[in-house]
Amino acid sequence: MVSFYPGPSEVYSKVPLYLKDAYAQGVMSMNHRSAEFMTISQRCVVLLKEKLKIPEDYHVFFASSATECWEIIAQSLVQKHSVHIFNGAFGKKWFDYTQRIKSDARAIEFDQQEKFDLNMLPRHEADTLCITQNETSNGTQVSNRSLHAIRKAIKGLIAVDATSSLGGVWLDLQLADVWFASVQKCFGLPAGLAVMICSPAALQRAQTIGDHAHYNSLLFMAEMMEHWQTSCTPNVLDIYLLMRVMEDNKPIEKIDTTITTRYHKWEAFFKHPGDRFNLLIKNPAVRSRTVLTVEAAPPHVALIKEKAREAGFILGEGYGELKSTTFRIANFPAIKRTDITQLMEFLHDYR
Ligand SMILES: *Cc1c(COP(=O)(O)O)cnc(C)c1O
């Protein structure tokens, strides 16, 4: 089976090899306070910085999920209120989870076909602006160009959920203060680990707020990370796997080129007039490069998903209210070119 599910997704084909090494090297029973672990953790961070072009003065932390990152931000970085600008289910969930911790959170929703516009920004200063760069539920994205415009217009901190894009496309990380992603999407790894990237301004905000109430208070995480450690027993195995993936992976610009080329192939594939399926997002400017959402009549969606499974492909279910009218196709770097060609051949018969 080849998984085109946009998370948990197909893992890099070398993962079984890394697992064998991990077992042989005792990584699975490794103490998280040991020098051996600190070496792996440090090397993982150094490689992430190098391969993803993380600004030198930014900090990298390990968490267990993107959901945990939402809570860390709410606890440790939101001063009075955050403003969440979103057009889909994950952006909404982030807002909902934040509201339970900081009840003054505000939401600004926009249409999924609509490009991010500066007029959408809150009129009153938000201390933390929360943006979902790649909305996995509907297959939309906020471009680097839009992020650039937002950065110029906003004084507060900017936090970006890049769970289904970080590691797959080039993101100009200077344009925000917090970035995070769990590894079961674009990083092609098993779930149970997230990477959180913070600017010096984010760390300063954490100092100002001084939240020490939680095991995952950002200040505590930062203190532990000075020694390449975490505040609880982390997913040592996944950190090791991430280190191995980062060792093998090309720099993000190269991966971005591959992903963009494949995206354009998919775009051309779905451009046939008269087909029984179409891309949900009509505006190419806001279409995600890493998650394609395909729209069809519900019986046809059900048929394609079932037949795909029989043919050895797992397609992504439509998310939330889009469940019966769409299916999703991940365009993540761990997926092989030949598998994409084969999925296209399969889908051709159902157009
Ligand atoms: C998958 C996903 C999440 C949730 O990730 P977890 O690791 O399950 O917490 C959050 N945001 C986006 C955009 C996602 O795609």
Side-chain angles (χ1 to χ4, degrees):
M1 292 298 261
V2 184
S3 178
F4 284 86
Y5 217 109
S9 54
E10 186 74 8
V11 297
Y12 278 104
S13 59
K14 279 188 169 173
V15 165
L17 212 113
Y18 303 151
L19 283 173
K20 230 175 148 195
D21 289 349
Y23 182 66
Q25 292 164 23
V27 174
M28 297 184 193
S29 336
M30 189 173 274
N31 189 296
H32 60 295
R33 305 286 173 229
S34 67
E36 287 89 344
F37 171 73
M38 284 151 72
T39 305
I40 291 171
S41 168
Q42 177 177 16
R43 181 155 171 74
C44 187
V45 169
V46 168
L47 286 164
L48 281 166
K49 279 195 149 181
E50 178 192 323
K51 297 285 170 86
L52 299 183
K53 301 289 174 311
I54 299 174
E56 206 36 62
D57 56 352
Y58 277 42
H59 304 256
V60 177
F61 302 106
F62 297 121
S64 58
S65 66
T67 305
E68 188 190 356
C69 296
W70 291 342
E71 293 212 340
I72 293 169
I73 293 164
Q75 287 165 185
S76 296
L77 293 175
V78 174
Q79 226 155 7
K80 283 206 189 68
H81 69 263
S82 52
V83 172
H84 300 249
I85 306 187
F86 56 87
N87 69 2
F90 283 102
K92 170 139 194 359
K93 232 180 185 176
W94 185 2
F95 165 67
D96 289 340
Y97 280 41
T98 302
Q99 209 179 25
R100 286 182 219 158
I101 293 173
K102 294 271 158 86
S103 58
D104 280 343
R106 291 169 205 177
I108 299 173
E109 291 189 59
F110 65 105
D111 189 87
Q112 61 189 13
Q113 307 289 352
E114 204 183 340
K115 206 170 145 192
F116 197 100
D117 190 288
L118 286 183
N119 291 327
M120 293 173 192
L121 292 176
R123 247 161 281 138
H124 303 288
E125 201 58 49
D127 66 67
T128 312
L129 188 72
C130 300
I131 298 166
T132 305
Q133 192 273 325
N134 202 73
E135 178 49 75
T136 322
S137 66
N138 56 23
T140 57
Q141 64 144 353
V142 178
S143 66
N144 280 309
R145 186 193 286 255
S146 291
L147 289 172
H148 185 82
I150 296 165
R151 185 59 144 181
K152 283 213 321 222
I154 285 280
K155 279 201 222 76
L157 290 184
I158 299 175
V160 179
D161 181 341
T163 300
S164 53
S165 53
L166 193 69
V169 296
W170 175 75
L171 294 164
D172 189 350
L173 302 179
Q174 298 269 16
L175 299 178
D177 300 289
V178 184
W179 297 83
F180 57 90
S182 35
V183 298
Q184 75 274 19
K185 314 252 167 119
C186 261
F187 285 103
L189 287 171
L193 176 69
V195 172
M196 188 171 174
I197 301 165
C198 295
S199 73
L203 265 291
Q204 247 166 36
R205 170 71 67 80
Q207 292 285 1
T208 308
I209 293 177
D211 158 48
H212 277 105
H214 310 273
Y215 81 95
N216 57 4
S217 295
L218 192 59
L219 290 178
F220 189 27
M221 289 171 67
E223 212 175 281
M224 296 307 289
M225 207 56 181
E226 277 175 30
H227 306 287
W228 311 104
Q229 291 187 18
T230 50
S231 56
C232 60
T233 316
N235 190 335
V236 176
L237 178 59
D238 236 344
I239 294 172
Y240 172 81
L241 295 175
L242 182 58
M243 177 195 82
R244 293 294 301 265
V245 163
M246 283 298 122
E247 268 173 1
D248 280 353
N249 268 8
K250 297 197 173 86
I252 193 65
E253 309 92 291
K254 287 264 168 61
I255 294 181
D256 182 285
T257 305
T258 306
I259 292 301
T260 306
T261 306
R262 292 173 174 188
Y263 163 78
H264 286 303
K265 276 191 190 152
W266 275 120
E267 194 178 42
F269 179 85
F270 286 110
K271 231 178 222 163
H272 279 226
D275 276 359
R276 281 181 289 173
F277 48 57
N278 287 293
L279 289 174
L280 172 74
I281 302 305
K282 310 299 175 203
N283 181 357
V286 303
R287 214 184 276 139
S288 163
R289 269 42 179 171
T290 51
V291 180
L292 291 135
T293 306
V294 185
E295 184 180 39
H300 202 50
V301 168
L303 178 77
I304 291 173
K305 279 192 303 197
E306 185 197 321
K307 294 290 176 192
R309 216 169 244 280
E310 284 169 26
F313 305 109
I314 299 170
L315 296 174
E317 296 275 346
Y319 197 93
E321 57 189 29
L322 296 168
K323 192 168 173 76
S324 63
T325 54
T326 65
F327 63 88
R328 292 174 298 158
I329 300 173
N331 182 29
F332 292 165
I335 296 168
K336 293 204 162 70
R337 194 166 51 94
T338 50
D339 290 329
I340 297 173
T341 311
Q342 282 175 13
L343 179 60
M344 282 181 179
E345 279 167 13
F346 163 82
L347 285 173
H348 188 77
D349 293 340
Y350 294 89
R351 62 182 347 145

